[in-house]
Amino acid sequence: MENVVGYINSHKANYVEELKDFLRIPSISTLAENKNDMLKAASFVVKKLADAGMENAKIVETKGHPLVYADWLHAPGKPTVLIYGHYDVQPVDPIDLWDSPPFEPTIKGENIYARGATDDKGQMYMHIKSVEAYFKTIGKLPLNVKFIIEGEEEIGSSNLEEFVNKNQDLLKCDAVMISDTSLYGPGIPTLTYGLRGICYMEVTVTGPNRDLHSGTFGGGVGNPINVLAVMISKLMDSNGKIKIPGFYDDVVRLTKKERDNFKKLPFSEKQYAKALGVKELKGEKGYTTLERVWARPTLDCNGITGGFTGDGAKTVLPSKAKAKISMRLVPNQDPIKIGKLFSKYINKIAPKSVKVSIKDLHGAYPIATSLDDKATQAAAKALATVFGKKTVFMREGGSIPIVVTFAKKLKAAPVLMGVGLNTENLHSPNEHFNLNHFQLGILSSAYFLDEFAK
Ligand code: BES
Ligand code: MN
Ligand code: MN
C-alpha cells in the first residue's frame, strides 16, 4: 500500500486538472441538444480507463446514451469488484444563480465548482485514479475489477437496466462499488446502507377546448388549475400522511434498533432549518427529521404549470394545467404498484368538469443493504483508515435506480461509499465538490481494493 498511497498523494494536482477537463463537457442527459457531449464524456472516460491501465475499455452503444465498460481480470482466486458511476449530469437552470459558469470549473477555497462536480463525475473519477495508482506502482490490482459507467442515471437508467439483464455473465462480480452518495458530515467516514425509491408521475388536466377570457367565461366552467390544486391538496393530510388508498401497505416499519441508531447521530433540527432558510421543519407526524427523509415515503409536487406565467397580468381561464408529482418510496414499496394506486386515486377524485391524463415518467425501487456483508465491512475499514475515525452508517433519501437491479440480477452486495456532501448543491446552482474529500475518496478506493482482496 505504501507505494500506492505515495503515488496518490504526490499526484493531487494532476487529479484536479484532469477532473476539470471532465467537468468542462456539458453531458446533460435529459437535453437533446447535448447528445454529442454525451459521446464526448463517454469517450473521455474510456480514454482515462485505458490510460490508467484497465483493459477492454470501450463504449457500448445503447438505445440512449452510451455505456462505458472496462475490466482487468488477472487475479485468479480473488474476488471481483464492479465499479459503477454515472457521467451524465443534471440541467443547469436557473443559470442566473450560478456564481461561475457551470461548465467552467472554478476552484474556490477547498471546493471545485461545476455541474457534475460531486454528482457524479468527481466521485466516479476517484476510482479511475485509484486503479491507476496500482498499475503505475506495483503494476497490477490486488483483485479483479470491472467498470460500468452510464450516461442515463439522472433519467432513470432504463438502458443500463436492459444491459444488466442481458449481460449478467459479463458483469458477474462479488460486490458493486458505488460512490454517488454523501458523507454524514465533512470529514466523517460514511457508508450509506439504504436508498429510497421513486415513482414519478405527470398529471395533465384539461378543461375547456381553448384558453378563454376569464371574465366572460369565469364561473361558467371548471378552471383546470383550480381543479388540479384541489386534487393535489387531497393527496396528503395535515399530518403529512399520504391519502392514496393502499400507499402504505408494503412499507417496512422502522425497528426500535434502527430508530435508536438514528438518534445516536449528531443532528440539530435548528441548524437544519436555519441552513435551509425556513422557520420550522415540516413532515410526517410521529417521526424525526432523519426518519422522515431516510426511511419514510413522501409525496412532492416537483412542478406545476398552466395558464399565464409571464410578467404582469393576463386575464385568462386556461385550457390546461399540468403537475409533476413524485413519491419517494421505502422498502418494500414497488414503484409500478404505487404508480397504479396513484392513477386510480387521481381518477377517482377528478371532477367531471375536466379530463385527466396521467403519465408514469420513471421509477426506481428502494433498497436497504446488509451491514455485515464482507464488502461493506471492507469499505468501512478502508474509510476508517483513511479518515482516521470510525465509519458511521446512514440511509439516504435520494435514489440510484440501478442499485436494486445490481443486487437482484448480479446477486452482489452494493457498497455505497460516497464522499459528497448534501450541502454541495447537487441538482442546483453552484454545485461543488470538496477537493480534500476527492483526495480522501481516491485513497479510500485504493484501501478498499486492498482490504476486500484479503
Ligand atoms: N447521486 C444522486 C442520488 C443521491 C442524492 C445520493 C443525494 C445521495 C444524496 C443521483 O444522481 C440522483 O440524483 N438520483 C435521482 C434519481 C432519479 C432521477 C431517478 C434522484 O434521487 O432524484
Ligand atoms: Mn448521482
Ligand atoms: Mn443526481
Side-chain angles (χ1 to χ4, degrees), residues 66-78:
L67 295 167
V68 174
Y69 175 85
D71 61 24
W72 188 90
L73 307 171
H74 304 292
K78 293 287 183 183

Side-chain angles (χ1 to χ4, degrees), residues 229-421:
V230 171
M231 283 166 59
I232 291 171
S233 76
K234 288 182 179 162
L235 290 169
M236 211 186 242
D237 73 14
S238 58
N239 289 327
K241 285 268 185 265
I242 292 149
K243 287 163 69 178
I244 300 167
F247 183 84
Y248 291 98
D249 284 0
D250 302 324
V251 170
V252 175
R253 306 259 145 206
L254 271 151
T255 60
K256 166 107 176 38
K257 190 174 162 219
E258 202 171 17
R259 296 188 99 164
D260 287 345
N261 284 340
F262 287 7
K263 285 199 184 98
K264 279 184 208 141
L265 293 167
F267 186 82
S268 156
E269 307 252 335
K270 233 187 178 168
Q271 270 170 26
Y272 187 88
K274 197 173 164 216
L276 299 177
V278 294
K279 275 209 186 105
E280 192 179 79
L281 297 177
K282 190 162 166 51
E284 188 183 4
K285 210 174 154 190
Y287 296 91
T288 67
T289 302
L290 284 184
E291 289 168 355
R292 289 170 185 161
V293 299
W294 287 353
R296 293 295 299 170
T298 55
L299 181 149
D300 280 287
C301 196
N302 295 260
I304 177 161
T305 51
F308 180 66
T309 55
D311 287 337
K314 177 190 181 194
T315 48
V316 61
L317 195 165
S319 163
K320 276 184 198 302
K322 200 194 264 186
K324 292 179 187 280
I325 298 169
S326 69
M327 289 153 279
R328 293 285 171 171
L329 312 178
V330 300
N332 291 325
Q333 287 178 297
D334 177 336
I336 295 169
K337 182 174 166 190
I338 293 294
K340 286 184 186 147
L341 293 175
F342 176 90
S343 303
K344 196 173 161 197
Y345 182 65
I346 287 284
N347 283 320
K348 198 183 109 197
I349 61 176
K352 288 220 173 62
S353 60
V354 295
K355 269 194 299 244
V356 172
S357 70
I358 305 163
K359 224 162 108 184
D360 190 333
L361 294 184
H362 63 62
Y365 284 85
I367 192 169
T369 66
S370 136
L371 298 188
D372 32 51
D373 181 82
K374 198 177 163 259
T376 305
Q377 287 306 316
K381 201 167 164 199
L383 284 169
T385 305
V386 171
F387 284 74
K389 277 182 209 150
K390 208 171 155 217
T391 299
V392 307
F393 290 85
M394 65 176 251
R395 286 171 71 159
E396 164 58 47
S399 316
I400 305 176
I402 203 65
V403 175
V404 171
T405 311
F406 285 144
K408 275 193 198 151
K409 298 288 154 120
L410 306 179
K411 303 205 169 36
V415 181
L416 299 165
M417 195 180 78
V419 295
L421 289 172

Side-chain angles (χ1 to χ4, degrees), residues 10 19 81 100 105 149 164 176 182 200 316 335 341 369 382 400 410 454:
S10 63
L19 178 58
V81 180
S100 53
I149 309 296
V164 176
V176 187
S182 296
Y200 201 125
V316 61
L341 293 175
T369 66
I400 305 176
L410 306 179
K454 283 179 189 164

Side-chain angles (χ1 to χ4, degrees), residues 112-130:
I112 184 161
Y113 285 77
R115 172 57 87 230
T118 184
D119 184 14
D120 175 43
K121 285 176 170 170
Q123 296 209 53
M124 182 261 277
Y125 203 60
M126 301 181 314
H127 297 289
I128 301 181
K129 295 299 102 178
S130 145

